[in-house]
Amino acid sequence: MRLRALAKINLGLDVLRKREDGYHEVRMVMQTIRMYDQLELKRSSRAGIRLQTNRPYLPTGDGNLVYRAAQLLMEEFQVKDGLDIRLEKFIPVAAGMAGGSSDAAAAMVGVNRIFHLGLSQEELMERGVKIGADVPYCILRGTALAEGIGEKLTPLPPMPDCWILIGKPGISVSTRFVYGNLKANELEEHPDMDGLLQGLQAGDLKSMCVSMGNVLETVTIPAYPVIRQIKEQMLQAGAIQALMSGSGPTVFGIFDDYTKAKEACFRLRRGRLAKQVFLTTPYNKGGGTNDK
């Protein structure tokens, strides 16, 4: 069984407060894009989970979310057979694009299917939050409002058609560092999340873009100025809006003109600001992590 694990970007990310339990209460608009890792799952008569990847620096035991996601379901349902998993990584790692969470989501969908566990999408999402806050969304996919710590999801009208330029500089950013340095209860400015939602409801790309924002940029950009430089380059090349995704460092630019998007992609690849550059589109059709 081969499954695609799709990446996400944040069209809007606001942090409302830091809770007493240490978690941050967020309000985010998540969007799946057509960039993906691939998982291959094979049922085995040999008990246990065996995970291989094309990235030698990734763990292949319970330090990997794919392993933990498969283990969670197989232990709950007392699966006696074994599972061989091959993970082909293409989504940038530690990039604010939920690559690990999406891989875990695909693993849960795959285990559910290959062992005929009979779980619904909602039941998978309930279990997914035990692996990570983004995993339920990565099972749902599409355009969605995420609230709470990210686990309360409301599907939204699809993002209007456009081209999305992805640029990741050659650095990794720790999510713990970003949230640890965010003074969530002292923030004076917040993204216009209501305006963003209204733009989506109206199917108006430009209106949506005007309201986009990411409060985590207040921490990440001062620490890594290259993020601002990539944003500025995308805007100068004709992007309607450019924003950091998640806690960074990936930047995405939204274009309504393919020629401008293609030229901007060429310029970004030719320059030295971004190490990984992709041009893609939103993923809005379907909705299951098993989409081929």
Side-chain angles (χ1 to χ4, degrees), residues 11-14 16 27-29 145 147 156 190-202 207-208 210-213:
L11 301 180
L13 195 163
D14 195 11
L16 305 181
R27 196 171 184 226
M28 307 183 288
V29 173
L145 174 67
E147 297 175 287
L156 296 172
H190 293 268
D192 182 9
M193 298 297 291
D194 290 336
L196 173 55
L197 294 174
Q198 289 168 8
L200 283 168
Q201 290 285 351
S207 173
M208 181 200 83
V210 167
S211 300
M212 285 167 49

Side-chain angles (χ1 to χ4, degrees), residues 203-232:
D204 187 331
L205 183 67
K206 290 185 178 179
S207 173
M208 181 200 83
C209 286
V210 167
S211 300
M212 285 167 49
N214 182 347
V215 76
L216 299 184
E217 287 186 346
T218 60
V219 175
T220 313
I221 286 179
Y224 304 96
V226 67
I227 295 170
R228 183 186 301 279
Q229 293 176 285
I230 294 174
K231 284 184 62 175
E232 289 173 349

Side-chain angles (χ1 to χ4, degrees), residues 43-50 74 80-84:
R43 190 168 181 163
S44 171
S45 58
R46 187 158 59 105
I49 301 167
R50 288 159 295 280
M74 290 172 71
K80 303 301 181 187
D81 286 351
L83 186 67
D84 295 319

